[in-house]
Amino acid sequence: MTILQLKYVIAIDEECSMRKAADRLYVSQPGLSSAVRDLENEIGIQIFERVHNGVVTTPAGSSFIAYARHAVEQFEKVEEKYLNSRTEKPTFSVSMQHYTVAVNAFIDTVKEYDLEEYQYFIRETQTSEVIEDVKTMRSEVGVIALSDFNKNTFKKVFVDASLEFHELFTRDTYVYMRKDHPLAGSDEISLEDLKDYPCMVFDQGDNNSFYYREEALATYDYKKVISTNERATSIELMLGLNGYAVGAAMLGDSLNESELTAIKLKEDETLTFGYITRKGSELSEMGQAFVEKLEKHKED
């Protein structure tokens, strides 16, 4: 198995066509097909199924290509650092769940390292991808929140992935809603009070189980649920539909968050915020600065 073969299957998966992938890669179509057959024979799975108008990736192939992407990304990082060192730009990458405190810490870190050239990455993504990114060193730090319900489960996940969880702080559970929501004047709100309003939750993709939910009270049987994968969309839906979300009362100043309020939830469950790193790894200077910014923002 070679890096070149991995690049081949990634291109075919993206183009859904051997011919288009061959044109993109500047190789012959027979040569590309032969390389893929050799790879399939070596690993013992069928990566692509040929159809009349191209190819489709098999379920087993999709799983293999996900690993291939990470391998190619890591290879390209090594290549950039050691083979193209004269043109190397400072890099730093963070993956996180959907929390403003982590975004603000990233902004402050970038401002502190105001260099002429750099290449920084911030991935606001699903819980499983935050873990996978740090595990595969796609990101140096991952910011994550654990609920009372899933904390013990994730401890095992972190051990299996050779990751360490560093606790920052815990927060009680609140409800986000628009400031002129019919229930916005309450001192406390119960989930029963909210039963006639839609609850916004973040879609966790293939790992959309209770254990991977970012929100507290993940096992509660909500009457109305809208799943989104983007924070701005979730906020717009709350404003437009009198919806709500369960969180830790850490509202930022961006987007339309100034139009929201946070009210204490009667149901008692805490969220524990922290960051994950590779076990035994030492953070870079920027990584250490980012963690310091997280500590600073935790009281905001």
Side-chain angles (χ1 to χ4, degrees):
M1 186 189 308
T2 66
I3 287 292
L4 190 59
Q5 286 175 311
L6 300 186
K7 290 181 177 180
Y8 283 175
V9 296
I10 291 170
I12 296 168
D13 178 66
E14 291 174 348
E15 298 292 346
C16 298
S17 164
M18 285 283 186
R19 179 184 60 78
K20 291 180 180 179
D23 290 343
R24 170 176 151 185
L25 295 164
Y26 301 103
V27 298
S28 69
Q29 186 172 336
L32 181 62
S33 297
S34 176
V36 172
R37 280 196 304 272
D38 289 344
L39 179 60
E40 289 177 327
N41 290 335
E42 181 180 356
I43 63 178
I45 66 170
Q46 183 180 358
I47 302 175
F48 301 109
E49 181 179 346
R50 281 66 175 174
V51 294
H52 71 281
N53 60 344
V55 297
V56 294
T57 307
T58 66
S62 294
S63 178
F64 175 79
I65 289 172
Y67 284 103
R69 289 185 196 280
H70 288 304
V72 170
E73 286 174 1
Q74 295 307 312
F75 175 81
E76 289 175 346
K77 286 182 180 180
V78 172
E79 195 174 44
E80 176 68 22
K81 185 172 182 64
Y82 294 103
L83 299 184
N84 304 316
S85 57
R86 284 178 293 182
T87 60
E88 179 187 356
K89 296 179 182 178
T91 60
F92 177 62
S93 179
V94 175
S95 295
M96 59 185 67
Q97 291 177 328
H98 304 75
Y99 294 108
T100 304
V101 62
V103 177
N104 290 338
F106 185 86
I107 291 171
D108 288 348
T109 304
V110 172
K111 286 181 177 179
E112 182 176 320
Y113 289 82
D114 186 16
L115 306 174
E116 290 185 3
E117 293 187 38
Y118 57 74
Q119 191 171 20
Y120 299 149
F121 301 88
I122 180 169
R123 283 173 45 78
E124 190 175 86
T125 186
Q126 299 163 350
T127 304
S128 60
E129 290 192 1
V130 175
I131 295 170
E132 186 68 17
D133 284 353
V134 180
K135 176 184 175 182
T136 59
M137 296 183 291
R138 183 176 189 178
S139 289
E140 185 175 355
V141 181
V143 182
I144 200 166
L146 309 178
S147 67
D148 294 340
F149 170 71
N150 65 20
K151 187 181 296 184
N152 288 332
T153 298
F154 273 108
K155 285 181 180 178
K156 184 179 186 308
V157 171
F158 296 150
V159 170
D160 292 343
S162 296
L163 301 176
E164 292 180 318
F165 178 74
H166 310 266
E167 182 175 332
L168 289 170
F169 56 91
T170 59
R171 299 279 294 190
D172 291 329
T173 307
Y174 286 74
V175 175
Y176 301 113
M177 59 176 55
R178 58 188 293 173
K179 289 182 177 178
D180 58 351
H181 190 283
L183 299 177
S186 307
D187 293 329
E188 279 191 336
I189 299 179
S190 70
L191 291 176
E192 177 65 22
D193 297 331
L194 293 161
K195 65 181 181 181
D196 293 327
Y197 301 99
C199 178
M200 309 298 153
V201 301
F202 283 108
D203 180 29
Q204 295 294 338
D206 293 338
N207 285 295
N208 211 20
S209 72
F210 293 134
Y211 291 103
Y212 278 80
R213 286 270 292 272
E214 296 179 33
E215 303 84 7
L217 302 162
T219 58
Y220 183 79
D221 186 17
Y222 294 93
K223 183 178 177 182
K224 300 178 180 180
V225 176
I226 299 178
S227 296
T228 70
N229 59 6
E230 208 275 326
R231 181 170 52 198
T233 300
S234 182
I235 292 172
E236 291 297 337
L237 290 170
M238 281 189 275
L239 296 175
L241 296 174
N242 271 340
Y244 69 96
V246 178
M250 294 189 295
L251 292 171
D253 299 324
S254 60
L255 303 172
N256 288 319
E257 292 178 342
S258 60
E259 300 180 45
L260 300 177
T261 187
I263 301 172
K264 183 73 175 65
L265 191 65
K266 288 182 180 178
E267 283 78 5
D268 185 26
E269 183 170 72
T270 59
L271 288 170
T272 300
F273 288 80
Y275 62 95
I276 53 176
T277 59
R278 288 279 301 175
K279 186 176 182 180
S281 66
E282 184 174 342
L283 290 178
S284 67
E285 185 178 340
M286 281 197 70
Q288 293 174 17
F290 175 73
V291 169
E292 291 173 3
K293 302 299 184 293
L294 282 176
E295 292 274 4
K296 174 185 174 184
H297 281 288
K298 71 182 184 181
E299 299 301 332
D300 293 345

